[in-house]
Amino acid sequence: MFGRKKTLNDELATTVENEPGRPGAKNRPTPKRREQEALNKRPLIVTDRKAATKQDKVARREAMAKQRAGMLVGDEKYLPARDKGPRRRFIRDSVDSRWNIGEFMLPIMLIVLLLSFVRTNWALLLVFVLVYGLILVAIGDAVLMWRRTRRKVEAKFGQAEKGDAWYAIMRAFQMRRTRMPKPQVDRGNPPA
């Protein structure tokens, strides 16, 4: 009886192998339960910690690279919560489409720093005027930029939200190359 069963299983296996696969069918025998459980077994505590750490680092590095690439392109899925949504995209595009005085503050502050090492009266006066003058002009420019942007945001999306002004002003004070997500519009092309 046992031998007969083996021959039947062998015959069934050969007939299954010879038959062409049916579309929509599984086309393979169901695996045994113990085989499936054996595939799923892994130790709770990893025996080779170095290899596990290395795999974890590689996986994290790949995930971060994927997220960074998505941020550079401006993909909504990879953006942080503060940058998500059509309202924030509109604000970003509105800020990125114009020249902002605030984005020139860092290079000018480097010049001011170099001038501060010169200990003459004209250099100290120039440093004072440059620092405070630039700060006042940049703040004024940012306020005017936000007022124009707020009108556009309210016309398109309704009432402006609480953090929109701060978001636009902080983006205006960053140098264009260092902004994240990267600017998606050219200067002079405001969003519609």
Side-chain angles (χ1 to χ4, degrees), residues 109-127:
M109 287 301 170
L110 289 174
I111 294 169
V112 166
L113 181 67
L114 293 175
L115 282 175
S116 67
F117 289 120
V118 178
R119 293 289 177 194
T120 59
N121 287 336
W122 67 268
L124 293 174
L125 182 63
L126 186 63
V127 165

Side-chain angles (χ1 to χ4, degrees), residues 74-156:
D75 188 6
E76 282 287 318
K77 185 168 68 172
Y78 297 106
L79 293 178
R82 69 157 200 254
D83 295 322
K84 284 186 179 179
R87 174 189 302 265
R88 291 296 170 103
R89 177 176 286 282
F90 184 82
I91 292 171
R92 277 196 309 271
D93 291 346
S94 179
V95 171
D96 293 339
S97 68
R98 66 187 297 271
W99 290 93
N100 299 297
I101 295 173
E103 65 187 282
F104 297 108
M105 282 190 65
L106 185 63
I108 292 176
M109 287 301 170
L110 289 174
I111 294 169
V112 166
L113 181 67
L114 293 175
L115 282 175
S116 67
F117 289 120
V118 178
R119 293 289 177 194
T120 59
N121 287 336
W122 67 268
L124 293 174
L125 182 63
L126 186 63
V127 165
F128 180 78
V129 170
L130 271 176
V131 168
Y132 291 108
L134 182 65
I135 290 172
L136 289 175
V137 170
I139 289 172
D141 179 55
V143 168
L144 291 175
M145 178 268 311
W146 171 242
R147 288 178 67 187
R148 283 188 220 115
T149 304
R150 186 184 66 212
R151 281 191 215 116
K152 292 177 189 175
V153 167
E154 287 175 351
K156 187 168 185 167

Side-chain angles (χ1 to χ4, degrees), residues 2 30 110 157 178 185:
F2 290 109
T30 304
L110 289 174
F157 299 104
T178 62
V185 295

